[in-house]
Amino acid sequence: MTNAELLKTSLHASHLELKAKMSPFAGYDMPVQYTSVKEEVLSVRQNVGVFDVSHMGEFFVRGTDAVKFVDEMITNDFASAPVGKAVYSPLCRDNGTVIDDLIAYKLAADEVLICVNASNIAKDWNWISQFAPQYNCKLTNESDDFSLLALQGPKTVEIMQKLELLPKHDLEYYAALRFGNFILARTGYTGEDGFEIFGSHKEIKNLWTKLLELGVAPCGLAARDVLRLEVCYPLYGHELNDEITPLDAGLKWTVKLQKPKFKGQAALVEAQPKFRLAKLMLEKAIPREGYAVLDSSGQTIGSVTSGTMSVSINKGIALALIQKDQWPKDEKFFIQIRQNLWPAEYTSKAFYQGAHK
Amino acid sequence: MSHQVPAELFYTKDHEWVRVEGETATVGITDFAQSALGDIVFVELPAAGSTYSHGDTFGVVESIKSVSDLFSPLDGEVLEKNEALEASPDLCNQAPYESWMIKLKLSSTNVSHLLNAKSYTEFCASLD
């Protein structure tokens, strides 16, 4: 795809003005970094940063059966979530493999917003739109009508107050509501406190300008990837993909087998996980996607799905899918980097503890 | 992007710089390279005694998001590596032309395949 064919978010001109390094992502020309990845990660961990994530997809479901429809499409429990709550969930095929992971926001008893990964908009739409006519609801893809900002970091509330965008009764973690011209959600992809703010292109452009004027650091996709990996959030295309089930990727907590009915249920009831996700740390080297993971006998038992240098803990960090039947009893792991085998420290907790675990 | 290209050095299209003094060459990465890579967080360099022909991979430099090979600009044997960079890789960002990576004892002093400062500047301009 040439640059001319790439899509642009409504903030594209501003990214260029800020001299961001741009790179194609999910068909969009997106900002990867503005100043330095390190500085941007630290802004979010210690202060506040803003991401243009307008490339992400927004589907709306409206009607009496809106909640029922979404609940039966996704693996997590959406039916019993109160109005105003958000639920993270995989979206699975009948065979239990993962089409995408998403957040569903229960804006009203008869209105649901589903936010999906940019690279999966068409795939998700093709899957769920075929079932919508069986329900008393209307499913629409409004991705092209919305821009989306993620304001993230411990000082988010301070900024929201200054902008008079903080609802009177605040908004708890994983809650959402319509507020003026925006949809505000207390969600994010960094492990810090934060809001995701959906709005029209025009409203979001104005808000972006105000945020920059208030000194909020613009942050790119590179920092976003480091931040999510430090708190061990999965990324579709890496820890999750078309070939594996949520049970393979440590997402058992998002699969509510006891629900009356959902896509993939029969397969997931029977499924034996093939993989287990390992969190691995290296003191002196940087693990990367695709590197082999070995046990102490030198046998290859899996591979790294995401790896980077952690800015917050200053170590190499990796998520790796390990063959479940080859999970080492001694929990000793090694990562092959070029000619060398590096001992990796296995950890059961996230690499970094943000405000939200 | 404005970046420094000292006139007295030679360059490669892989963005290494070379200072040739008699039979010794000192090698590092250019200002353009460090700027394109961003925060450099890891440098892997060869032990003294390793030998390379020009074009061979002699080491690796990593930013937070990327891994890049380092290519030997000339033929020779490694006399010394800059251990300070392995401890503080960010020196490459701060002072790319002081942060040399290896010193080579050259087996051939033919530098005809290298770029001078003017050609390298033009080459970088063609990449933008």
Side-chain angles (χ1 to χ4, degrees):
Chain A
M1 201 178 303
T2 69
N3 281 350
E5 287 165 336
L6 288 172
L7 301 168
K8 297 178 170 87
T9 73
S10 60
L11 306 175
H12 189 264
S14 175
H15 301 322
L16 297 186
E17 223 170 277
L18 291 164
K19 298 206 165 30
K21 276 183 193 159
M22 306 295 287
S23 183
F25 183 83
Y28 281 82
D29 192 33
M30 294 297 287
V32 171
Q33 70 176 77
Y34 298 85
T35 53
S36 104
V37 182
K38 258 186 201 173
E39 283 174 23
E40 292 167 28
V41 168
L42 294 175
S43 291
V44 172
R45 290 275 178 252
Q46 298 168 358
N47 197 346
V48 59
V50 61
F51 302 83
D52 174 17
V53 283
S54 302
H55 59 313
M56 296 195 68
E58 291 87 8
F59 298 163
F60 281 83
V61 190
R62 297 184 182 93
T64 348
D65 278 352
V67 169
K68 181 176 154 71
F69 169 68
V70 174
D71 190 60
E72 294 186 2
M73 290 299 113
I74 67 179
T75 61
N76 208 342
D77 178 12
F78 192 60
S80 58
V83 167
K85 280 296 282 181
V87 172
Y88 168 81
S89 180
L91 173 73
C92 289
R93 297 179 182 78
D94 288 321
N95 69 3
T97 56
V98 183
I99 296 169
D100 199 4
D101 64 336
L102 54 81
I103 298 179
Y105 300 90
K106 200 180 282 189
L107 299 177
D110 58 359
E111 187 184 31
V112 181
L113 161 61
I114 308 174
C115 184
V116 303
N117 281 302
S119 48
N120 291 333
I121 293 174
K123 186 172 68 162
D124 296 351
W125 177 261
N126 289 341
W127 174 249
I128 66 171
S129 65
Q130 62 182 311
F131 306 111
Q134 300 161 24
Y135 296 78
N136 188 11
C137 64
K138 191 167 181 345
L139 171 69
T140 52
N141 176 3
E142 301 183 18
S143 304
D144 291 344
D145 304 328
F146 278 90
S147 284
L148 174 59
L149 295 182
L151 185 64
Q152 301 279 298
K155 299 207 173 139
T156 296
V157 165
E158 216 173 277
I159 297 294
M160 294 295 276
Q161 272 165 343
K162 281 187 186 160
L163 294 166
E164 297 180 350
L165 276 179
L166 203 62
K168 213 189 209 165
H169 301 290
D170 204 353
L171 196 60
E172 64 184 62
Y173 186 50
Y174 260 72
L177 86 174
R178 284 189 184 278
F179 191 82
N181 295 319
F182 297 112
I183 296 169
L184 303 182
R186 202 72 175 264
T187 49
Y189 199 41
T190 64
E192 298 300 331
D193 187 17
F195 280 78
E196 290 182 299
I197 306 167
F198 301 81
S200 69
H201 303 310
K202 195 176 155 215
E203 295 282 353
I204 290 292
K205 245 168 117 169
N206 290 339
L207 180 60
W208 170 262
T209 307
K210 282 187 206 161
L211 287 166
L212 297 186
E213 281 167 8
L214 286 173
V216 177
C219 299
L221 293 184
R224 185 170 156 86
D225 192 50
V226 172
L227 287 157
R228 70 94 192 166
L229 194 48
E230 288 181 340
V231 292
C232 297
Y233 292 171
L235 174 60
Y236 195 89
H238 297 258
E239 288 69 44
L240 296 170
N241 62 58
D242 286 312
E243 312 291 320
I244 66 174
T245 74
L247 309 178
D248 292 326
L251 291 178
K252 194 174 174 196
W253 67 276
T254 65
V255 181
K256 302 291 160 47
L257 294 173
Q258 307 307 321
K259 283 204 310 186
K261 179 174 153 191
F262 64 93
K263 291 290 168 200
Q265 184 177 31
L268 290 168
V269 165
E270 298 295 322
Q272 294 300 319
K274 289 197 282 287
F275 300 98
R276 184 170 160 191
L277 199 68
K279 305 178 182 89
L280 302 173
M281 289 186 286
L282 296 179
E283 284 297 331
K284 281 197 171 151
I286 307 170
R288 305 286 182 182
E289 186 180 2
Y291 287 0
V293 180
L294 296 86
D295 64 13
S296 33
S297 77
Q299 170 108 357
T300 298
I301 56 171
S303 72
V304 172
T305 50
S306 294
T308 194
M309 180 75 180
S310 165
V311 173
S312 304
I313 67 165
N314 202 30
K315 287 181 185 179
I317 57 172
L319 294 176
L321 284 173
I322 306 297
Q323 297 282 341
K324 190 140 197 282
D325 54 6
Q326 296 187 51
W327 185 269
K329 289 199 179 66
D330 59 4
E331 296 199 326
K332 285 195 160 58
F333 296 85
F334 298 81
I335 298 179
Q336 175 145 18
I337 303 182
R338 296 175 283 278
Q339 295 82 16
N340 300 315
L341 278 185
W342 296 81
E345 186 188 340
Y346 166 76
T347 169
S348 58
K349 283 198 199 133
F351 303 115
Y352 181 84
Q353 301 292 320
H356 294 297
K357 293 167 179 98
Chain B
M1 197 177 344
S2 105
H3 56 98
Q4 291 188 323
V5 183
E8 70 277 16
L9 304 178
F10 290 109
Y11 298 89
T12 71
K13 290 188 176 180
D14 300 309
H15 306 284
E16 279 98 11
W17 59 260
V18 193
R19 177 180 287 116
V20 180
E21 291 159 308
E23 290 186 343
T24 305
T26 307
V27 179
I29 63 166
T30 65
D31 191 20
F32 182 94
Q34 70 78 20
S35 166
L37 288 169
D39 302 307
I40 292 172
V41 290
F42 184 82
V43 178
E44 190 174 278
L45 299 172
S50 313
T51 59
Y52 298 100
S53 300
H54 76 266
D56 288 353
T57 302
F58 73 80
V60 167
V61 58
E62 300 194 33
S63 68
I64 291 176
K65 292 295 287 177
S66 72
V67 183
S68 308
D69 283 333
L70 296 165
F71 299 99
S72 183
L74 292 164
D75 306 345
E77 179 184 330
V78 177
L79 293 170
E80 199 184 342
K81 65 172 172 177
N82 188 351
E83 288 177 7
L85 295 189
E86 293 183 324
S88 306
D90 57 322
L91 291 173
C92 302
N93 292 120
Q94 291 164 23
Y97 295 107
E98 286 162 35
S99 306
W100 58 277
M101 295 191 160
I102 52 168
K103 292 188 177 175
L104 286 174
K105 183 177 166 36
L106 299 177
S107 54
S108 158
T109 51
N110 177 9
V111 296
S112 61
H113 59 285
L114 298 177
L115 305 175
N116 62 25
K118 183 168 174 285
S119 313
Y120 178 66
T121 304
E122 285 165 6
F123 173 69
C124 291
S126 74
L127 299 177
D128 279 340

